[in-house]
């Protein structure tokens, strides 16, 4: 069994719901992704409570973007929560990305923990070419995403958030950067608002390293069973499926 690449996105401000979900799915996932919605509602103490219910890695999706000094200080402050992954906007620029990396390394020594893997967000999937042009970026989404991925690599970041459809080409070009992939749907789940989805197994074959999966687990009638089925589909189940006769 290889290590479990499934990170369940818990997109809720409700601490009780997040803790309950964390307890139920813990055996079947590699960790949980908590975003801004949760962090603003519950703060660092909320993250600690989910972390202790889960007993596994936390991916803090805070998408930091500010002047280098402020982002470095934020990275340092967040280190006390020992997140495994932390996101920041690559559009913040090379100096900001380098400052974040330096802060993570410096703070890791002082809290005696490994620095978080710093993960760059390039172009949000809610943006199209017109949206980019409106904020002064001509040339389209792909060129901008590529430009920003190169910046992440130059700054020494650890990975990128990307769609499964971009994973292969990013792997070819920036092979050392982890590919963190949302938009994952098992074939039994509804796509919802995700437009270009892939199954967990397909995404891994395309070069994904971490699979961010939200509603197919969190909104399932039985989230633990959904997580177990997904883990089994990629050979990461720690226990057999209930319907599995073995
Ligand atoms: O419920 P679902 O599986 O669609 O959740 C995917 C998660 O990944 C959500 O937290 C969403 O905000 C996040 N995400 C995404 N697409 C991106 C970046 C992040 O769906 N490009």
């Amino acid at each position: 069994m290889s290590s479990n690449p499934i990170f369940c996105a818990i997109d809720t401000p409700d601490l009780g719901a997040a803790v309950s979900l964390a307890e139920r799915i813990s055996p079947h996932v590699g960790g949980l992704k908590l975003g801004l919605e949760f962090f603003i509602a519950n703060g660092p103490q909320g993250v600690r409570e989910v972390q202790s219910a889960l007993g596994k890695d936390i991916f803090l999706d805070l998408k930091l973007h500010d002047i280098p000094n402020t982002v470095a200080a934020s990275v340092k402050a967040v280190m006390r929560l020992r997140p495994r992954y932390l996101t920041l906007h690559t559009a913040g620029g090379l100096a900001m990305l380098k400052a974040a990396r330096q802060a993570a390394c410096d703070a890791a020594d002082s809290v005696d923990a490994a620095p978080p893997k710093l993960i760059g967000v390039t172009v949000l999937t809610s943006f199209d070419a017109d949206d980019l042009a409106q904020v002064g970026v001509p040339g389209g989404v792909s060129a901008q995403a590529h430009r920003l991925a190169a910046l992440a690599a130059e700054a020494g970041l650890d990975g990128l958030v990307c769609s499964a459809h971009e994973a292969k080409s990013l792997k070819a070009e920036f092979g050392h950067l982890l590919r963190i992939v949302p938009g994952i749907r098992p074939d039994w789940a509804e796509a919802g608002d995700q437009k270009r989805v892939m199954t967990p197994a397909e995404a891994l074959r395309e070069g994904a390293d971490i699979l961010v999966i939200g509603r197919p687990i969190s909104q399932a009638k039985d989230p633990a069973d959904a997580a177990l089925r997904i883990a089994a589909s990629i050979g990461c189940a720690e226990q057999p499926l209930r319907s599995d006769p073995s």
Side-chain angles (χ1 to χ4, degrees), residues 147-166:
R147 197 178 290 131
L148 293 171
L151 216 53
E154 187 178 345
L157 261 54
D158 300 289
L160 294 167
V161 178
C162 66
S163 110
H165 299 267
E166 298 154 356

Side-chain angles (χ1 to χ4, degrees), residues 90-144:
T90 49
L94 191 58
M96 186 202 88
L97 299 174
K98 283 185 170 174
R101 183 171 154 69
Q102 190 60 50
C105 294
D106 294 347
D109 289 338
S110 61
V111 299
D112 194 23
K117 302 278 183 199
L118 294 180
I119 306 302
V121 175
T122 58
V123 180
L124 294 171
T125 41
S126 55
F127 263 58
D128 63 16
D130 290 341
D131 296 310
L132 278 177
Q134 265 173 8
V135 295
V137 182
V141 171
S142 168
Q144 177 68 351

Side-chain angles (χ1 to χ4, degrees), residues 10-37:
I10 300 201
D11 292 312
T12 176
D14 183 335
L15 177 59
V19 166
S20 158
L21 187 62
E23 283 168 346
R24 292 163 78 182
I25 66 175
S26 176
H28 315 303
V29 296
L32 291 187
K33 179 175 91 72
L34 295 172
L36 264 185
E37 181 185 1

Side-chain angles (χ1 to χ4, degrees), residues 14 31 61 103 130 146 156 181 217:
D14 183 335
D61 189 11
D130 290 341
H146 188 274
V181 174
I217 297 174

